[in-house]
Amino acid sequence: MDRTEKRAFVDSMAEVFAQTSFVLVAQNKGLTVAAVDDLRRKMKAAGATYKVAKNRLASRALDGTRFQGISPLLKGPTALAWSADPVAVAKTAVEFAKGNDKFVILGGALGTQNLNADGVKALAELPSLDTLRASLLGLIQTPATRIAGVVQAPAGQLARVLKAYADKEAA
């Protein structure tokens, strides 16, 4: 890379760090090309981005951002992953790490909070944003369903009483 390419890379990464809420740092030492491609596909399916970056350039891009605390993790062959949904990145990385011992999660940052590998694993155990939205929607809809059931119950009981009287009269 020449200087202009390096400068453009640092600027693009700084822009990414300004827009995202979570950055994961992982060590990818010894991963095959097929494994990296598989991980990229899984990350893309989860709505995340996975990028192998030069540590020095990534550190420069981190300077002045809220993720500056993860700079010490950038040693050796590292990769960065990020997404709008922090749980999606963490889940995908933790699942991939379970099946591939050469992929090691070093840590990450959620906003200004730095996370170690255990913190990332704990984040991966949380429900995803879509799951939380569905649960919230279910909670909102439940009272409406109960109200409709309560309102309909007296009318149903009245109809059953009238039917019972009609059956009694017919007999």
Side-chain angles (χ1 to χ4, degrees):
M1 289 178 112
D2 65 353
R3 283 187 174 202
T4 56
E5 290 173 328
K6 289 179 182 178
R7 196 171 295 122
F9 177 79
V10 169
D11 291 342
S12 70
M13 290 301 292
E15 186 177 320
V16 164
F17 295 144
Q19 294 175 354
T20 191
S21 62
F22 177 72
V23 176
L24 175 108
V25 180
Q27 190 174 45
N28 59 350
K29 188 176 187 177
L31 283 179
T32 64
V33 174
V36 172
D37 286 343
D38 183 40
L39 178 59
R40 285 181 204 268
R41 274 192 295 278
K42 289 178 180 178
M43 286 284 186
K44 189 174 183 179
T49 304
Y50 174 83
K51 188 160 192 83
V52 176
K54 290 190 175 190
N55 294 337
R56 190 167 178 208
L57 297 178
S59 293
R60 284 190 180 172
L62 286 168
D63 285 341
T65 66
R66 59 185 169 198
F67 303 116
Q68 195 168 350
I70 62 172
S71 290
L73 298 176
L74 299 175
K75 292 181 180 159
T78 56
L80 303 171
W82 62 88
S83 173
D85 183 8
V87 177
V89 176
K91 279 187 182 198
T92 305
V94 168
E95 279 182 29
F96 187 79
K98 285 179 184 175
N100 196 328
D101 60 339
K102 293 182 181 179
F103 182 76
V104 179
I105 297 171
L106 299 176
L110 182 61
T112 56
Q113 180 71 33
N114 291 336
L115 303 172
N116 58 11
D118 293 331
V120 173
K121 289 176 184 171
L123 183 63
E125 292 173 4
L126 294 175
S128 69
L129 191 56
D130 291 336
T131 305
L132 288 174
R133 285 179 181 153
S135 298
L136 183 61
L137 187 61
L139 288 173
I140 291 170
Q141 286 180 340
T142 299
T145 305
R146 287 186 181 163
I147 289 171
V150 168
V151 170
Q152 288 177 342
Q157 288 176 348
L158 180 62
R160 283 190 289 277
V161 168
L162 291 175
K163 184 176 184 314
Y165 278 124
D167 289 346
K168 186 178 178 183
E169 297 263 333

